[in-house]
Amino acid sequence: MLVHRVLDAVDTALVGKRDQMTLVLAGVLAGGHVLLEDLPGLGKTLAARSLSQALGLEFTRAQFTPDLLPADLTGSYIFDQNTSEFSFREGPIFTGLLLADEINRTPPKTQSALLEAMQERQVTVEGHTFMLPRPFHVLATANPIEHEGTYPLPEAQLDRFLLRLAFGYPSLEEEWEVLGRRMERRREEVVVDAVLDSAGLLAVQDCVEDIHVAESVGRYAIDLVRATRDHQDTLVGASPRGSLALLLCSRALALIEGRDFVIPEDVKRLAVPALGHRIVIRPELWLNNVAPESIVQAVLDQVPVPDAETP
């Protein structure tokens, strides 16, 4: 399958991240955006660049800093002395895949400009609206351990990301393979072969809409989401947008796995990445290191799993 070839191509650059990249690809095939929140140096930037190359998408990187202005991201009008007119110069957001590096380091005003692009697939500059190319996806990175000079993403913007993932440290053998590959290629850069192009990706995304979801599986996803709202440690549970994200990504994961129907295991595999960032825990539990992901895991253990149904 083409999607397997995409993952195989990414594997030539990344070591030991097949499972995580499968979920990232599911988020992209579902037409959404993904937040990679993890420590520095674990391959988040390399993952974004490699995935864009494998998908055949134009790639741009925006380094988010405290002095980044919305116009630095969206573009602005420039006076052309030759024509004595103002013309619009596109910013880095006009691309196929945008890497929003360290997204929590830029002020809310710039974050809101990105929010419009993520949700509406358009930007507004000086009263004029410009449509972004299709496909358009954002892979954002965030460092969870640094707080000085950062602007935490508001819940409204976190909700726009279909998935939030972490890579984690590699195993001993995987880290040695990283070093071995670097010595073998004798350069820092890694080039990944293109498997798809923009038109091909759009065609695959259309196929996601053909994936069947049995009513029992759909209701299972709803039960999980509703259980996050009733949990004793929850201040705010996942919204219906969480239900939509969970089911849509499950359909994309089923496509990657070569099935034309969703099974409960697809929903369970995506529950934490799709729902964890949509939950707000009670303030008194912050000091106890209670994480939203633990609430989702507890819900997974409590909600009965239906029998798999084939169409």
Side-chain angles (χ1 to χ4, degrees), residues 93-173:
I93 205 169
F94 286 85
T95 186
L97 192 147
L98 172 70
L99 172 60
D101 212 1
E102 295 186 285
I103 189 175
N104 56 335
R105 286 197 172 276
T106 200
K109 189 173 184 179
T110 305
Q111 291 179 1
S112 66
L114 180 63
L115 177 61
E116 179 189 8
M118 291 170 57
Q119 184 66 23
E120 308 296 338
R121 260 66 174 188
Q122 66 182 32
V123 296
T124 302
V125 180
E126 298 185 13
H128 296 86
T129 299
F130 301 90
M131 302 303 299
L132 295 173
R134 294 188 64 237
F136 169 74
H137 299 281
V138 175
L139 290 187
T141 69
N143 184 347
I145 63 171
E146 292 188 17
H147 303 286
E148 184 176 352
T150 62
Y151 302 83
L153 293 177
E155 281 71 18
Q157 185 157 348
L158 277 175
D159 208 29
R160 264 47 177 201
F161 288 99
L162 277 185
L163 303 173
R164 181 175 68 177
L165 297 165
F167 280 173
Y169 285 112
S171 67
L172 175 63
E173 294 302 321

Side-chain angles (χ1 to χ4, degrees), residues 17-297:
K17 307 299 182 186
R18 179 87 176 201
D19 291 342
Q20 294 91 330
M21 290 309 299
T22 298
L23 300 185
V24 172
L25 181 58
V28 171
L29 294 184
H33 316 285
V34 179
L35 175 62
L36 304 176
E37 189 175 83
D38 214 331
L39 303 175
L42 296 182
K44 300 185 296 295
T45 301
L46 178 60
R49 185 182 299 275
S50 302
L51 183 61
S52 68
Q53 292 175 346
L55 294 176
L57 299 179
E58 181 183 356
F59 175 81
T60 58
R61 173 182 176 178
Q63 185 66 46
F64 280 47
T65 57
D67 60 348
L68 189 74
L69 300 175
D72 298 328
L73 192 63
T74 63
S76 59
Y77 280 93
I78 304 296
F79 183 72
D80 189 340
Q81 294 184 348
N82 294 327
T83 62
S84 297
E85 295 179 349
F86 285 93
S87 59
F88 181 69
R89 179 174 296 176
E90 296 179 348
I93 205 169
F94 286 85
T95 186
L97 192 147
L98 172 70
L99 172 60
D101 212 1
E102 295 186 285
I103 189 175
N104 56 335
R105 286 197 172 276
T106 200
K109 189 173 184 179
T110 305
Q111 291 179 1
S112 66
L114 180 63
L115 177 61
E116 179 189 8
M118 291 170 57
Q119 184 66 23
E120 308 296 338
R121 260 66 174 188
Q122 66 182 32
V123 296
T124 302
V125 180
E126 298 185 13
H128 296 86
T129 299
F130 301 90
M131 302 303 299
L132 295 173
R134 294 188 64 237
F136 169 74
H137 299 281
V138 175
L139 290 187
T141 69
N143 184 347
I145 63 171
E146 292 188 17
H147 303 286
E148 184 176 352
T150 62
Y151 302 83
L153 293 177
E155 281 71 18
Q157 185 157 348
L158 277 175
D159 208 29
R160 264 47 177 201
F161 288 99
L162 277 185
L163 303 173
R164 181 175 68 177
L165 297 165
F167 280 173
Y169 285 112
S171 67
L172 175 63
E173 294 302 321
E174 290 170 349
E175 193 161 358
W176 170 242
E177 187 174 350
V178 171
L179 301 182
R181 288 188 183 186
R182 171 60 181 85
M183 291 184 290
E184 183 178 352
R185 67 175 178 266
R186 301 176 63 87
R187 67 180 186 278
E188 193 66 32
E189 298 78 16
V190 182
V191 179
V192 174
D193 295 332
V195 177
L196 292 172
D197 55 18
S198 297
L201 176 57
L202 290 173
V204 176
Q205 289 175 340
D206 287 340
C207 293
V208 174
E209 298 297 335
D210 297 327
I211 302 300
H212 173 75
V213 180
E215 181 176 349
S216 61
V217 177
R219 288 187 176 274
Y220 173 60
I222 294 176
D223 289 342
L224 290 174
V225 173
R226 294 182 66 88
T228 65
R229 305 170 194 166
D230 300 331
H231 195 277
Q232 60 182 1
D233 295 337
T234 300
L235 180 64
V236 178
S239 67
R241 183 182 284 139
S243 303
L244 290 169
L246 179 57
L247 208 55
L248 184 56
C249 290
S250 297
R251 297 170 78 187
L253 181 60
L255 177 67
I256 294 173
E257 297 295 337
R259 285 181 272 103
D260 60 358
F261 58 94
V262 176
I263 59 176
E265 282 69 23
D266 297 327
V267 178
K268 294 175 66 175
R269 186 175 174 184
L270 282 156
V272 172
L275 302 179
H277 60 294
R278 305 175 194 273
I279 297 173
V280 180
I281 62 173
R282 297 187 178 277
E284 61 268 23
L285 299 175
W286 292 349
L287 295 179
N288 296 331
N289 294 322
V290 176
E293 290 77 9
S294 65
I295 295 176
V296 179
Q297 194 59 56

